[in-house]
Each structure stands twice: as C-alpha cells, then as structure tokens.
Amino acid sequence: MAKVTIDGAEVEVKDGLNIIEAAKAADIHVPHFCYHPSLTVVGQCRMCLVEVEGMPKLQAGCSTNVKDGMKIHVWNEKVDKARRGQMEFLLINHPLDCPICDKAGECPLQDYSFNYGSVESRYGEFKRTYPGMDRTAIGPHVVQNMNRCIHCTRCIRFCQEITGTSELAFFKRGASTEVGVFAGTPLDNWMSACVADVCPTGALTTREFRFESRVWNLDSTESVCNGCDVGCNMFIGHRNGQVFRYRPRENPDVNDHWLCDYGRFSYERYDTDRVVVPKVRNDDGYLGIATWNEALDAIEKALRPAEKVVAIASANMTNEEARVAKSLFEGVGARVGLTVDPIDPIRMKSRTEWLVGTQAAPNYRGVAAIVGENEIPSMDGIDVLYICDADFSQRTKDPAFIASLRKAKFLIVHSWDANHPLNEVADVLLPATIHVEKEGSYTNLQGRVQEIHAAYPPKGQAIPDVEIFARVAARVLSEERVAAGA
Ligand code: SF4
Ligand code: SF4
Ligand code: FES
C-alpha cells in the first residue's frame, strides 16, 4: 500500500495505482479524456496533468503511478493553467455545436470546456472540418460526426482490446487524422454501440437514440438487462412511461462498463400496444373486457373445483414473483413446469473474465431454484393451465404449440403484449408488467442475485405480477395458506 497526499488529503491506496484512480479514492476528480479504466493507458490527451512535488514538470495522471509518500496537486494555479491551455488546443477545431449535439448534457468535453474553456477564442483561422463526415453511419448502430472528434483513441482501443474486432483505426496524418472503418468492414460487432459510451464527445452516437431526447429530460433508474442470463447492470433512461435507452451501469464483476447491442436495444420490444385491462371469455366464447373482480371470480370458479392444474412458470419472472407463485401453485396442487429458450452465445466481458450468456431470459436459475426444474407436462386431461408469462418461450408464437397448450380446459394467461397470440386463446387474460415496471431480483449465471427497479408504474389497469399472484392466492387459498405464503 502507498500513503499519498492529494490536494492535502492523505489516502492509502494500492501501490502502483495511477494518480487518476488514487485521486478517486480521495473523492477528487482528475479531468481526463483518453484514459478509461478498462482500456490501456496511452497518455495522449494531456488533460490529466497534475503536479507531483519533486518532479520538474507536470505529470500525466493516467500514466504516472503513485508511490509511497507522493504529494500530488490536482488543483493549483500551475495545473489549472496547463489544463486551460490544453482545452484551448482541443477546442480550436471543435465545432462547439452542443445545442444540436446528442452528447450535450453528459459530455466530458462540454463539461470541461465550462470549467477550463475560454469564452473567447484566440483562433481566427478557419476551423479544420471533415467534409462529408458529419453524419456517417459507420455501422448498423453507430453514427459518426468526425468534426467533433478529439482523437483520444478510446473507440479504437475498445475495438482492439475488448471485442478484438479492430474495425476502427486512424487514417491520414497530422491535423487531417481521422477515425474511420476499413472499406467493406463496418463497425458491426456484438458490442459496437459501446464506442458511443466511451467516446468523450458527440463524435459517436447511436442511431437508435439520436435526436430522441435531450439527456437532461430523461429520468434514470438502476436495473439489470433481461436479454440473457449474464444480467448486465444498466440504467433505464425513461420519460413519461417510455423507455428511450439503456446505458451500462458499471459493475466490474459482471459487465464492467459494457452492454451488448442486443441487450442495449432490447427495450424496442416494448414499443408495442400493451394489455391494459383484464379480459374474460364469456359463455358465448367472446373474450371481453372485464374488471379485476370479474377476472378473479372467473379464476376462482375454474380453480376451486379443478383436479388437474398445471402452471408454466417463466425464466422472465423475478425471484419474488416465483416465491409468491410457488405458494399459490402448491396451494392449488398444481404441477409447475419451467423452460427457457437457448440463445446464440453472447460474450460479455467483466473486468477479469468473459461471461457467456446462453439463455434468452434473465432468471432461469433463480426461478428454477424456487419452483423446481420440471418440464412442461402434456395438457391432455388438464382442467386449468396457468401461464405466468405469455412470453415464456418463443414457441408461444407457434400455432401448433398454442394448440397443444389450449388442450387444457381452462387457460389463464399473464400478458403485457397486446399482440401476443396466446392472448386470443386465453379464458382469462391478466394485464401484466414488463421488466422495467417491476421491483425484484434476478439471479444471473454466476449465481449473483441482482436487484431490478421499476422505472415507472404499470400501464392502465396492469399491476405487478407479484400482486396478481397474491390476489389470485387470496381468492383460492385458505387464509392460513395465504398468510404462510406471504
Ligand atoms: S471518435 Fe470519440 S472515442 Fe473515437 S477518437 Fe474521436 S473522440 Fe475519441
Ligand atoms: S450480455 Fe445479456 S444481459 Fe448483457 S446486455 Fe447483452 S443481453 Fe443483456
Ligand atoms: S487522460 Fe492522461 S493523457 Fe489523456
């Protein structure tokens, strides 16, 4: 361990840590552009200059490691002057188009230019521009505006060191240096949109989020991706009950600073009509809008006399939902089946290792540990089938599979997607919630239990699934059983 003094504060940090990281331990921010904790250090933007007592020149905080007894100044006149000078160079050619830039509001270049930039420019010449490179789609998800680039190489290093795909490189020389892709090789890897996260300017933005919302108009909620069983930590960016983006939330043990493109844009599946009211099939076979009480009456009427009940749990359920569902299904003597779809393996890099997601849902392991790992039984002779999530498998879109489920005499379905084909064949359809509307937890492939949080309330008369199970249990189980389950 090394004892160092940073701006008068004494901290003890791991020997060999660089000054930027050591200063973090003292809650002091060292401005930087090219340094990224998960990429190699290149020391080329010179924004991180600090003064180290005993050293003749200012030192780069990213490439200088601490030693016991070091006295470091992150904030003093000398350092401040150097940073202002560096900002002046970086802004010489920058278009300063924050008002129309999607990075504005969360842009290190913008923030630092507020802190260190000058309101006046001493540069009277024409700015260098990259004609024709101000809105270039360099891959399916990433749009480049080369005029905003400060040549920090974070994006290039990401593609070399994390995905190993090396699509990006510097082309040309000197002041004309540009970041680009090789002819015929677009930026099209499975984590390509991460370059927009690592870019400290608005040079790289995602096609999906461009011009959708100013970032300061979004609320942010901590959650976990439900795209696969890796369980990447993320922020949900949302406003007025609509998701605008997912952003990675740093967790060195799971997804470090990253999200895969599939997971990052998986919120687009919620861009559909929702089931917002319960529905019950009447004696004429018509599935009509009902109140919650009418829906619960119909469920009670079907479940109470039923002798053979099957429930299909879902790997999309939270652990909390699975627990309440288990007590309900035990109470009515239901056999519970569980399945999960395989997915083409998704590799995700934690700080120390690669994790490989192989399941198309976030919580098979958690739900299986609670309700058991039983196959879905045949529906022949089944009185009631209770489907906890219409989306429990892609097979639920297959008419033959739907027909096999419909062999059950009575079908109860939780569903959020108004266009889901299972809705039409249900006897009772219950309006359920999507994962960004839920509180609870998922267990990922490492066995790590991670919390998810509701970004906004459920739509219409939908209620959290955990509440649906509790309401049904209150109708069909004895008070003692309900109390025991709770
Ligand atoms: S595009 Fe962004 S991340 Fe890449 S070199 Fe330019 S400023 Fe850095
Ligand atoms: S690896 Fe899995 S959990 Fe992570 S972002 Fe991709 S789909 Fe989501
Ligand atoms: S962050 Fe140190 S030189 Fe760029």
Side-chain angles (χ1 to χ4, degrees):
M1 297 295 276
K3 261 196 190 150
V4 294
T5 310
I6 306 177
D7 284 349
E10 250 198 24
V11 278
E12 199 167 359
V13 293
K14 255 199 321 199
D15 231 341
L17 212 61
N18 72 16
I19 290 176
I20 293 182
E21 294 299 330
K24 265 189 211 165
D27 205 18
I28 293 171
H29 178 72
V30 180
H32 57 274
F33 289 117
C34 67
Y35 173 71
H36 187 286
S38 295
L39 302 175
T40 51
V41 173
V42 287
Q44 64 191 56
C45 74
R46 315 315 285 174
M47 192 61 194
C48 63
L49 293 177
V50 295
E51 184 175 19
V52 179
E53 284 185 20
M55 291 195 173
K57 289 184 180 172
L58 297 182
Q59 301 296 309
C62 61
S63 58
T64 309
N65 293 345
V66 293
K67 280 207 192 112
D68 197 37
M70 249 187 189
K71 288 197 168 59
I72 300 157
H73 300 278
V74 174
W75 303 95
N76 67 18
E77 215 173 301
K78 196 168 161 193
V79 174
D80 204 47
K81 190 166 173 233
R83 273 193 207 126
R84 285 182 189 282
Q86 196 52 30
M87 275 312 293
E88 194 171 11
F89 278 126
L90 286 172
L91 294 178
I92 275 179
N93 285 312
H94 194 77
L96 297 171
D97 57 349
C98 306
I100 56 154
C101 176
D102 266 312
K103 193 80 172 186
E106 56 184 11
C107 174
L109 187 66
Q110 184 186 38
D111 293 346
Y112 295 160
S113 54
F114 267 84
N115 291 340
Y116 313 109
S118 165
V119 278
E120 283 166 13
S121 174
R122 291 188 285 163
Y123 189 70
E125 289 75 12
F126 286 111
K127 284 179 186 273
R128 174 211 55 206
T129 55
Y130 293 90
M133 291 185 75
D134 58 352
R135 61 195 68 182
T136 321
I138 55 173
H141 299 295
V142 180
V143 179
Q144 180 192 35
N145 182 336
M146 192 56 216
N147 294 329
R148 296 179 184 147
C149 175
I150 57 167
H151 302 90
C152 71
T153 69
R154 276 187 179 189
C155 56
I156 296 173
R157 280 175 285 146
F158 173 82
C159 293
Q160 281 171 352
E161 297 165 16
I162 304 297
T163 58
T165 45
S166 297
E167 294 99 336
L168 293 175
F170 269 162
F171 295 85
K172 302 190 183 160
R173 293 285 170 90
S176 307
T177 304
E178 61 191 45
V179 174
V181 290
F182 296 95
T185 318
L187 176 59
D188 189 10
N189 63 60
W190 77 105
M191 284 161 67
S192 68
C194 290
V195 298
D197 297 328
V198 298
C199 180
T201 75
L204 300 175
T205 51
T206 61
R207 179 179 60 76
E208 288 78 357
F209 183 62
R210 263 167 81 81
F211 307 130
E212 288 295 318
S213 173
R214 302 304 328 209
V215 299
W216 53 85
N217 289 330
L218 293 181
D219 293 321
S220 189
T221 302
E222 292 187 2
S223 193
V224 170
C225 175
N226 66 342
C228 80
D229 48 336
V230 172
C232 293
N233 294 208
M234 63 168 195
F235 293 106
I236 304 164
H238 59 98
R239 187 179 68 231
N240 296 337
Q242 188 189 344
V243 179
F244 283 80
R245 65 173 176 177
Y246 290 161
R247 271 187 313 131
R249 182 162 56 91
E250 183 185 348
N251 184 339
D253 297 322
V254 183
N255 55 307
D256 202 5
H257 298 269
W258 324 121
L259 287 181
C260 79
D261 291 349
Y262 167 73
R264 182 189 295 266
F265 301 115
S266 60
Y267 63 85
E268 290 181 339
R269 73 178 89 165
Y270 300 140
D271 198 9
T272 178
D273 290 339
R274 295 283 301 276
V275 178
V276 288
V277 285
K279 288 186 175 178
V280 175
R281 194 170 299 283
N282 65 18
D283 294 340
D284 298 331
Y286 176 71
L287 187 68
I289 292 173
T291 64
W292 268 103
N293 266 335
E294 286 165 345
L296 292 168
D297 286 346
I299 292 172
E300 187 177 356
K301 199 168 146 205
L303 270 180
R304 278 199 182 275
E307 287 179 357
K308 290 190 175 169
V309 180
V310 165
I312 301 179
S314 165
N316 291 314
M317 292 162 79
T318 62
N319 293 322
E320 293 68 21
E321 287 164 2
R323 276 186 209 109
V324 184
K326 183 188 179 199
S327 100
L328 165 66
F329 296 138
E330 274 179 358
V332 298
R335 274 187 290 162
V336 183
L338 176 65
T339 184
V340 66
D341 289 342
I343 197 172
D344 285 345
I346 302 179
R347 293 195 307 138
M348 177 49 63
K349 193 160 193 304
S350 77
R351 191 71 62 91
T352 51
E353 60 175 339
W354 283 97
L355 306 175
V356 183
T358 54
Q359 299 176 346
N363 199 28
Y364 179 79
R365 289 167 184 81
V367 177
I370 294 164
V371 305
E373 264 182 292
N374 302 310
E375 283 184 10
I376 298 169
S378 153
M379 295 303 146
D380 291 324
I382 296 301
D383 295 319
V384 176
L385 170 60
Y386 194 122
I387 296 180
C388 299
D389 163 31
D391 233 12
F392 70 88
S393 163
Q394 275 304 311
R395 286 189 295 155
T396 55
K397 312 260 164 79
D398 171 5
F401 186 63
I402 293 175
S404 75
L405 296 175
R406 195 48 271 209
K407 282 187 193 159
K409 291 177 199 141
F410 195 86
L411 180 58
I412 303 164
V413 177
H414 291 208
S415 178
W416 55 265
D417 178 359
N419 299 312
H420 198 289
L422 263 184
N423 300 358
E424 289 308 307
V425 299
D427 292 306
V428 176
L429 179 66
L430 301 174
T433 40
I434 55 178
H435 104 288
V436 299
E437 295 163 353
K438 291 183 186 192
E439 292 286 334
S441 64
Y442 296 146
T443 306
N444 83 343
L445 54 79
Q446 301 159 302
R448 195 177 291 274
V449 178
Q450 306 189 102
E451 286 182 3
I452 62 167
H453 295 289
Y456 46 78
K459 303 285 183 206
Q461 292 178 34
I463 55 174
D465 295 63
V466 78
E467 172 71 23
I468 300 180
F469 292 123
R471 285 190 188 184
V472 174
R475 283 302 192 94
V476 298
L477 303 186
S478 64
E479 275 178 24
E480 299 78 50
R481 252 213 117 98
V482 172

Short mmCIF file of all heavy atoms in Angstrom, two decimals, residues 225-232 255 258-260 262-264 346-348, ligand 2:
data_model
loop_
_atom_site.label_atom_id
_atom_site.label_comp_id
_atom_site.label_asym_id
_atom_site.label_seq_id
_atom_site.Cartn_x
_atom_site.Cartn_y
_atom_site.Cartn_z
N CYS A 225 -30.28 -5.83 -17.23
CA CYS A 225 -30.78 -6.22 -18.55
C CYS A 225 -31.45 -7.59 -18.46
O CYS A 225 -30.97 -8.47 -17.74
CB CYS A 225 -29.62 -6.27 -19.55
SG CYS A 225 -30.10 -6.88 -21.17
N ASN A 226 -32.55 -7.76 -19.20
CA ASN A 226 -33.22 -9.06 -19.18
C ASN A 226 -33.04 -9.80 -20.50
O ASN A 226 -33.78 -10.71 -20.81
CB ASN A 226 -34.71 -8.90 -18.85
CG ASN A 226 -35.46 -8.15 -19.94
OD1 ASN A 226 -34.85 -7.47 -20.76
ND2 ASN A 226 -36.78 -8.25 -19.94
N GLY A 227 -32.02 -9.39 -21.27
CA GLY A 227 -31.81 -10.01 -22.58
C GLY A 227 -31.28 -11.43 -22.50
O GLY A 227 -31.57 -12.26 -23.36
N CYS A 228 -30.46 -11.70 -21.48
CA CYS A 228 -29.93 -13.07 -21.34
C CYS A 228 -29.54 -13.28 -19.89
O CYS A 228 -29.80 -12.44 -19.03
CB CYS A 228 -28.76 -13.31 -22.30
SG CYS A 228 -27.18 -12.65 -21.73
N ASP A 229 -28.89 -14.41 -19.62
CA ASP A 229 -28.62 -14.78 -18.23
C ASP A 229 -27.34 -14.18 -17.66
O ASP A 229 -26.98 -14.46 -16.53
CB ASP A 229 -28.61 -16.31 -18.07
CG ASP A 229 -27.77 -17.02 -19.11
OD1 ASP A 229 -27.56 -16.45 -20.19
OD2 ASP A 229 -27.34 -18.15 -18.85
N VAL A 230 -26.65 -13.32 -18.45
CA VAL A 230 -25.48 -12.63 -17.88
C VAL A 230 -25.93 -11.63 -16.82
O VAL A 230 -25.33 -11.51 -15.75
CB VAL A 230 -24.66 -11.92 -18.99
CG1 VAL A 230 -23.57 -11.05 -18.36
CG2 VAL A 230 -24.02 -12.94 -19.92
N GLY A 231 -27.02 -10.91 -17.12
CA GLY A 231 -27.54 -9.95 -16.14
C GLY A 231 -26.70 -8.69 -16.05
O GLY A 231 -26.27 -8.28 -14.97
N CYS A 232 -26.47 -8.05 -17.20
CA CYS A 232 -25.67 -6.83 -17.20
C CYS A 232 -26.38 -5.72 -16.44
O CYS A 232 -27.59 -5.54 -16.58
CB CYS A 232 -25.41 -6.39 -18.63
SG CYS A 232 -24.37 -7.55 -19.52
N ASN A 255 -20.55 -6.87 -16.00
CA ASN A 255 -20.43 -6.32 -17.35
C ASN A 255 -19.47 -5.15 -17.42
O ASN A 255 -19.40 -4.46 -18.43
CB ASN A 255 -21.81 -5.88 -17.88
CG ASN A 255 -22.50 -4.90 -16.94
OD1 ASN A 255 -22.65 -5.17 -15.76
ND2 ASN A 255 -22.91 -3.78 -17.47
N TRP A 258 -19.91 -2.28 -19.95
CA TRP A 258 -20.41 -2.59 -21.29
C TRP A 258 -21.84 -3.14 -21.30
O TRP A 258 -22.33 -3.64 -20.29
CB TRP A 258 -19.49 -3.62 -21.97
CG TRP A 258 -18.03 -3.47 -21.66
CD1 TRP A 258 -17.22 -4.39 -21.09
CD2 TRP A 258 -17.20 -2.32 -21.91
NE1 TRP A 258 -15.94 -3.91 -20.97
CE2 TRP A 258 -15.89 -2.64 -21.45
CE3 TRP A 258 -17.42 -1.06 -22.45
CZ2 TRP A 258 -14.82 -1.74 -21.54
CZ3 TRP A 258 -16.36 -0.17 -22.53
CH2 TRP A 258 -15.08 -0.51 -22.09
N LEU A 259 -22.45 -3.07 -22.47
CA LEU A 259 -23.70 -3.80 -22.77
C LEU A 259 -23.52 -4.35 -24.18
O LEU A 259 -22.88 -3.70 -25.02
CB LEU A 259 -24.91 -2.86 -22.79
CG LEU A 259 -25.47 -2.30 -21.49
CD1 LEU A 259 -26.68 -1.42 -21.79
CD2 LEU A 259 -25.87 -3.40 -20.52
N CYS A 260 -24.11 -5.49 -24.47
CA CYS A 260 -24.08 -5.94 -25.87
C CYS A 260 -25.19 -5.20 -26.62
O CYS A 260 -26.13 -4.69 -26.02
CB CYS A 260 -24.25 -7.45 -25.96
SG CYS A 260 -25.94 -8.02 -25.79
N TYR A 262 -27.49 -6.33 -28.56
CA TYR A 262 -28.79 -7.00 -28.47
C TYR A 262 -29.51 -6.56 -27.18
O TYR A 262 -30.68 -6.17 -27.21
CB TYR A 262 -28.59 -8.52 -28.48
CG TYR A 262 -29.81 -9.29 -28.09
CD1 TYR A 262 -30.89 -9.38 -28.95
CD2 TYR A 262 -29.89 -9.92 -26.85
CE1 TYR A 262 -32.04 -10.07 -28.59
CE2 TYR A 262 -31.02 -10.61 -26.47
CZ TYR A 262 -32.09 -10.69 -27.34
OH TYR A 262 -33.21 -11.37 -26.97
N GLY A 263 -28.80 -6.60 -26.08
CA GLY A 263 -29.42 -6.20 -24.81
C GLY A 263 -29.69 -4.70 -24.77
O GLY A 263 -30.74 -4.26 -24.33
N ARG A 264 -28.75 -3.92 -25.27
CA ARG A 264 -28.88 -2.45 -25.20
C ARG A 264 -30.14 -1.95 -25.90
O ARG A 264 -30.80 -1.03 -25.44
CB ARG A 264 -27.65 -1.80 -25.84
CG ARG A 264 -27.66 -0.28 -25.78
CD ARG A 264 -26.54 0.30 -26.61
NE ARG A 264 -25.23 -0.03 -26.12
CZ ARG A 264 -24.51 0.74 -25.30
NH1 ARG A 264 -25.00 1.88 -24.89
NH2 ARG A 264 -23.31 0.36 -24.91
N ILE A 346 -23.82 -15.15 -26.10
CA ILE A 346 -23.43 -13.74 -26.07
C ILE A 346 -22.27 -13.61 -25.10
O ILE A 346 -22.39 -13.97 -23.93
CB ILE A 346 -24.58 -12.83 -25.59
CG1 ILE A 346 -25.81 -12.99 -26.48
CG2 ILE A 346 -24.13 -11.37 -25.55
CD1 ILE A 346 -27.00 -12.14 -26.04
N ARG A 347 -21.14 -13.11 -25.60
CA ARG A 347 -19.98 -12.95 -24.71
C ARG A 347 -20.00 -11.56 -24.10
O ARG A 347 -20.24 -10.58 -24.79
CB ARG A 347 -18.69 -13.15 -25.50
CG ARG A 347 -18.52 -14.59 -25.99
CD ARG A 347 -17.11 -14.87 -26.44
NE ARG A 347 -16.63 -13.92 -27.42
CZ ARG A 347 -15.41 -13.40 -27.41
NH1 ARG A 347 -14.56 -13.73 -26.47
NH2 ARG A 347 -15.03 -12.55 -28.35
N MET A 348 -19.78 -11.51 -22.81
CA MET A 348 -19.73 -10.22 -22.11
C MET A 348 -18.50 -10.20 -21.23
O MET A 348 -18.22 -11.16 -20.52
CB MET A 348 -21.01 -10.06 -21.27
CG MET A 348 -21.07 -8.82 -20.43
SD MET A 348 -20.66 -7.29 -21.30
CE MET A 348 -21.95 -7.18 -22.54
S1 SF4 B 2 -24.95 -9.84 -22.45
FE1 SF4 B 2 -27.06 -10.42 -21.95
S2 SF4 B 2 -27.55 -9.31 -20.07
FE2 SF4 B 2 -25.72 -8.34 -21.00
S3 SF4 B 2 -26.52 -6.65 -22.28
FE3 SF4 B 2 -26.33 -8.47 -23.58
S4 SF4 B 2 -28.36 -9.44 -23.50
FE4 SF4 B 2 -28.24 -8.02 -21.79
#
